[in-house]
Amino acid sequence: MTKAFRLEYVHFKNSKEFERQFYNFSLKENIHSKAAYTTVVIGPNGTGKSRLLKAVVDILNDLYNKKHEDSNFKYRPIHQGGYEISYYMGLDRYKVNYDTYEYELSINDDPISIDKLEMPDSCIAAAYTLHEKFVMNNDYPGRINRYSDKYNSNFYNYLGIKSQNNYAFSSANINKALDLITEAISNEGFNKDIQKVFKFLNFNAAITITYDIRKHHS
């Protein structure tokens, strides 16, 4: 039986990248629940939402690589600096304290080795914004996999709109994003889900797409 993954918190130690060092992702009433739930990170553009999520992805990816380290995949940490991460797999709480290549791991506060660390089966970055920070690692046509030695495709997969061909062109990303949004809106399941999100956020039940393509002339 698959256990639900629930991220509790991430603590970045002496990080220059994040103004805040501690991020809590879990409500107290959900800690002992067996059900999976979705965490929504909300904030204005440019405040570091995707940067924070990418840091979480990098930490989980590093732990996966460390746990499955072998001669065919050289383990090299992506996330630089110390951190502490706590998450639940089912009702079991796992905590990892990392500092200068030294790991302290525990389950329900009892020390364990890396091979006993339970993790999510996979990590998927499904991103549809123009400036998200996630790394492309898939070998799709036209996409170069420059991170195969760091982002193991057995665990991490990028399903966003960027590709090697259109990575630098915002107009291509805009057109692709519009196609994806239009296609999603026609899906009944998407409509039900987005209505729940709007109701939770106390937003009007409407989606307005506004964009402007500007051409700069030298």
Side-chain angles (χ1 to χ4, degrees):
M1 181 178 179
T2 302
K3 294 183 179 180
F5 168 79
R6 300 190 301 281
L7 180 61
E8 183 182 12
Y9 69 79
V10 177
H11 175 209
F12 300 105
K13 301 180 181 180
N14 302 317
S15 173
K16 296 180 180 179
E17 186 176 4
F18 297 99
E19 183 176 350
R20 287 177 55 189
Q21 304 290 300
F22 184 86
Y23 294 86
N24 180 31
F25 290 87
S26 184
L27 300 175
K28 290 183 178 180
E29 54 266 32
N30 289 332
I31 288 297
H32 300 293
S33 171
K34 294 183 179 180
Y37 66 90
T38 300
T39 300
V40 180
V41 181
I42 302 172
N45 291 337
T47 54
K49 299 184 298 296
S50 61
R51 185 157 43 92
L52 172 61
L53 294 177
K54 180 183 180 298
V56 173
V57 168
D58 288 348
I59 289 173
L60 293 175
N61 183 78
D62 282 346
L63 291 174
Y64 179 89
N65 292 343
K66 179 65 176 177
K67 180 178 179 179
H68 297 85
E69 186 176 9
D70 57 39
S71 58
N72 297 321
F73 195 93
K74 185 176 180 180
Y75 171 65
R76 290 185 291 175
I78 300 168
H79 185 81
Q80 302 298 319
Y83 65 80
E84 182 175 280
I85 184 171
S86 177
Y87 62 86
Y88 283 79
M89 295 295 297
L91 297 180
D92 292 322
R93 183 193 192 201
Y94 290 86
K95 186 185 297 183
V96 179
N97 187 22
Y98 170 78
D99 190 11
T100 318
Y101 295 92
E102 295 292 332
Y103 291 86
E104 294 180 2
L105 306 97
S106 66
I107 174 175
N108 303 323
D109 296 326
D110 293 326
I112 58 172
S113 57
I114 187 69
D115 60 299
K116 302 297 183 182
L117 184 71
E118 280 193 275
M119 295 187 60
D121 293 332
S122 61
C123 184
I124 300 173
Y128 304 107
T129 62
L130 302 180
H131 306 293
E132 43 88 359
K133 307 299 183 183
F134 300 108
V135 170
M136 300 179 296
N137 77 316
N138 313 84
D139 292 318
Y140 292 152
R143 180 179 291 172
I144 296 177
N145 187 350
R146 294 176 293 176
Y147 299 95
S148 59
D149 63 334
K150 295 182 179 180
Y151 290 87
N152 194 323
S153 60
N154 290 326
F155 178 72
Y156 170 80
N157 278 285
Y158 174 79
L159 300 181
I161 61 175
K162 294 187 298 188
S163 72
Q164 183 63 23
N165 289 335
N166 68 9
Y167 181 80
F169 300 99
S170 60
S171 60
N173 285 333
I174 290 173
N175 292 334
K176 181 64 175 178
L178 291 175
D179 290 341
L180 290 170
I181 293 172
T182 303
E183 181 180 351
I185 290 175
S186 64
N187 184 286
E188 183 179 354
F190 175 86
N191 289 333
K192 291 181 179 179
D193 291 340
I194 202 69
Q195 286 175 8
K196 292 179 181 179
V197 173
F198 282 3
K199 184 177 180 180
F200 175 78
L201 298 175
N202 197 26
F203 287 172
N204 293 327
I207 296 178
T208 302
I209 302 174
T210 304
Y211 67 96
D212 182 22
I213 299 178
R214 300 179 182 180
K215 295 183 178 180
H216 298 276
H217 301 281
S218 57

